[in-house]
Amino acid sequence: MFETLSPAPPDPILGLGESFLADNRPGKINLSIGVFKDEQGQTPVLNCVKLAEQQLLESERTKGYLGIDGLADFNRLATELMLGGIVPPQQVAVCQTPGGTGALRVAADFLAKSLAPSRVWCSAPTWPNHGPIFESAGHEVKSYRYLSADRRTLDLEGMFDDLQQACPGDVVCLHACCHNPSGIDPTAQQWAAIAEQTASRKLMPLIDFAYQGFGDGLVEDQVGIRAMAQKHAEFLLCGSFSKNFGLYSERVGTLMVAVPQVDSANSVASRIKLAVRSNYSNPPRHGAAVVATVLSDPELRRQWEDELTGMRQRIHRMRSEFVAETKRIGCATDFSFLMDQRGMFSFSGLTPLQVDWLRTEKAIYIVGSGRINVAGITPQNLETLAAAVSEALSV
Ligand code: LMR
């Protein structure tokens, strides 16, 4: 039967990673997948993670299964980190998930199984995996405008116009901070207006919080969640520790559902478990144990916050050095707009044709939409990259 199957297209992000690995040209540059790189171009294990792993090596006594909803300490500490001071913990149903992607999929399954498949509104553009995740769970995916025509600012009016077509009960997927792929986030005032709009239309917010700490800081990056919580007694939050703990391959994420009553938190939690059990049964322990160890130890936590600040500042520095270098060489485009964007990603403005040219001619890998992973820029590749981008602009 499988003979009739044609190959599926490669994933727009992870597929590029595979091509990059297979490329043996020296000096190749990978600005596609969203992983942090240090000044040497490496994706390091954080020191606080190494120390926590040493502690775990000594103290771990079992590899027995976790509960369906994961490690209790992790769930408590993650809730404190992401929703502390915003929603009382007894009003949050929480579940440890395999990464932020796992959180989104469990959220999608929970909504489809416990309520009914609904329409999910995603920003245009959004992370290319959002649509397939919601569709896999049976939801219909719609999109709302997010960026102005030049793709350098937020189009709030366009967003509100499009959301006028949403019906009560529809889900609206929002990026809490460091919008992926554009790096363009709403201001505090714009968040308040978005919350007003989604609440008045009785939409259900599903907030993707994959980059806490990569925008302006751990607390600063909660600005949108705070605004939504003021207008919505119920919302879903999907968090990830891939980026801010550098635990990509350990798959550590969390799904939180905020509700107005403790009773509903229990019912929701039981429904989430149902969705998990028939999917992957229960989550892996190691990464969550690392996060719980770091967050519960004041010294490790301080170290983590310092390391996170270091990652954030490095990305910011690379933004400004790229802008300065492209100016210095007289590039036709002024890239100063990159300085207003937050997190790992930016829209470079490069067209699909230019992106293709950079890959084939210069071994520089960028996602087809023109999204660049700013964290992939290093002092070593900066000049080559700026010159190649400048050349690509005339292609
Ligand atoms: C990305 O957008 O590059 C990351 O979130 C990694 C992924 O899974 O796509």
Side-chain angles (χ1 to χ4, degrees), residues 11 13-14 32-34 101 127 180 211 243 345 371:
D11 182 83
I13 295 174
L14 300 187
S32 58
I33 184 162
T101 306
W127 180 48
N180 180 3
Y211 295 91
K243 326 282 167 163
F345 306 119
R371 183 194 88 169

Side-chain angles (χ1 to χ4, degrees), residues 279-327:
N279 186 350
Y280 54 86
S281 194
N282 47 61
R285 178 192 296 269
H286 184 72
V290 168
V291 171
T293 304
V294 171
L295 292 181
S296 59
D297 178 314
E299 179 49 32
L300 287 181
R301 181 170 171 136
R302 193 197 51 74
Q303 198 169 346
W304 170 59
E305 291 192 19
D306 285 351
E307 291 184 84
L308 178 57
T309 304
M311 291 195 276
R312 181 173 64 246
Q313 289 176 343
R314 198 190 96 69
I315 297 174
H316 201 69
R317 210 167 46 245
M318 284 304 113
R319 284 184 186 279
S320 73
E321 289 191 14
F322 181 78
V323 173
E325 178 61 14
T326 43
K327 269 205 182 107

Side-chain angles (χ1 to χ4, degrees), residues 108 117-144 170-173:
S118 61
R119 295 201 294 184
V120 182
W121 293 79
C122 293
S123 62
T126 194
W127 180 48
N129 210 16
H130 274 146
I133 290 172
F134 297 124
E135 278 165 359
S136 298
H139 301 282
E140 183 192 348
V141 176
K142 306 282 287 178
S143 57
Y144 59 84
D170 281 3
V171 174
V172 57
C173 175

Side-chain angles (χ1 to χ4, degrees), residues 64-76 94-98 252-255 269 272-273 276 280-286 288-289 292:
Y65 288 126
L66 294 183
I68 297 174
D69 53 357
L71 203 62
D73 279 350
F74 166 84
N75 283 338
R76 179 178 53 80
V94 53
C95 179
Q96 177 198 328
T97 57
V252 201
T254 171
L255 166 62
I272 290 174
K273 284 194 204 168
V276 168
Y280 54 86
S281 194
N282 47 61
R285 178 192 296 269
H286 184 72

Side-chain angles (χ1 to χ4, degrees), residues 316-366:
H316 201 69
R317 210 167 46 245
M318 284 304 113
R319 284 184 186 279
S320 73
E321 289 191 14
F322 181 78
V323 173
E325 178 61 14
T326 43
K327 269 205 182 107
R328 190 186 70 78
I329 61 174
C331 180
T333 298
D334 176 3
F335 282 99
S336 305
F337 60 87
L338 296 190
M339 298 307 296
D340 301 329
Q341 302 174 350
R342 286 286 171 279
M344 275 192 184
F345 306 119
S346 273
F347 258 168
S348 57
L350 292 163
T351 63
L353 206 70
Q354 293 164 339
V355 168
D356 266 0
W357 183 86
L358 281 168
R359 193 179 59 253
T360 47
E361 298 300 319
K362 302 283 177 182
I364 295 175
Y365 285 70
I366 292 175

Side-chain angles (χ1 to χ4, degrees), residues 25 36 46 51 58 73 75 84 90 99 120 136 176 185 205 225 229-230 280 284 292 326 334 349 371 385:
R25 287 175 286 177
F36 176 80
L46 299 188
L51 292 170
E58 292 303 319
D73 279 350
N75 283 338
Q90 63 277 16
V120 182
S136 298
D185 290 334
I225 300 171
Q230 272 176 12
Y280 54 86
T326 43
D334 176 3
R371 183 194 88 169
L385 176 72

